[in-house]
Amino acid sequence: MAFHKIDGKTWFSEVNEQWKGQAFSFEVDEILFDEKSEFQHVQVFRSNSPFGRVLLLDGVIQVTDLDECAYQEMIAHLPLMSHENPERVLII
């Protein structure tokens, strides 16, 4: 489904075959970025919910302001725990 209007308001809904019988929807406050690269369609919007900004890749929710800490933790802790004595680290 993606972006659609309900009662004059813009909504985003992710309907995915992986999650049969359910969808996840956000009321959209503002579309901040919408571009197609050579590899994927990148979209960012501000939701009118506690989730805040939402990053979509090819119409699939990747991360939001609310849950980004879980991703940041995984990105940082896994490499740090795999090294015996990390002294200097750069994570991009």
Side-chain angles (χ1 to χ4, degrees):
M1 190 175 249
F3 293 97
H4 54 280
K5 294 272 188 186
I6 299 175
D7 295 331
K9 296 180 180 178
T10 303
W11 286 78
F12 169 82
S13 294
E14 180 184 329
V15 179
N16 192 310
E17 287 300 312
Q18 291 179 324
W19 321 114
K20 293 188 186 309
Q22 60 183 326
F24 199 83
S25 298
F26 293 101
E27 182 182 346
V28 178
D29 188 42
E30 177 184 8
I31 296 174
L32 303 171
F33 186 82
D34 187 353
E35 296 224 356
K36 288 184 180 180
S37 75
E38 183 181 345
F39 306 102
Q40 59 202 357
H41 189 181
V42 180
Q43 296 168 297
V44 179
F45 66 88
R46 182 176 298 113
S47 71
N48 190 11
S49 76
F51 286 91
R53 291 170 296 180
V54 180
L55 168 66
L56 308 173
L57 296 180
D58 294 328
V60 177
I61 299 165
Q62 300 297 310
V63 69
T64 72
D65 281 340
L66 185 67
D67 61 9
E68 63 84 23
C69 60
Y71 295 95
Q72 302 304 329
E73 207 168 306
M74 292 291 275
I75 290 170
H77 286 145
L78 291 177
L80 289 172
M81 298 307 287
S82 67
H83 193 285
E84 286 184 27
N85 188 20
E87 293 180 16
R88 294 177 46 180
V89 177
L90 172 64
I91 300 173
I92 299 176

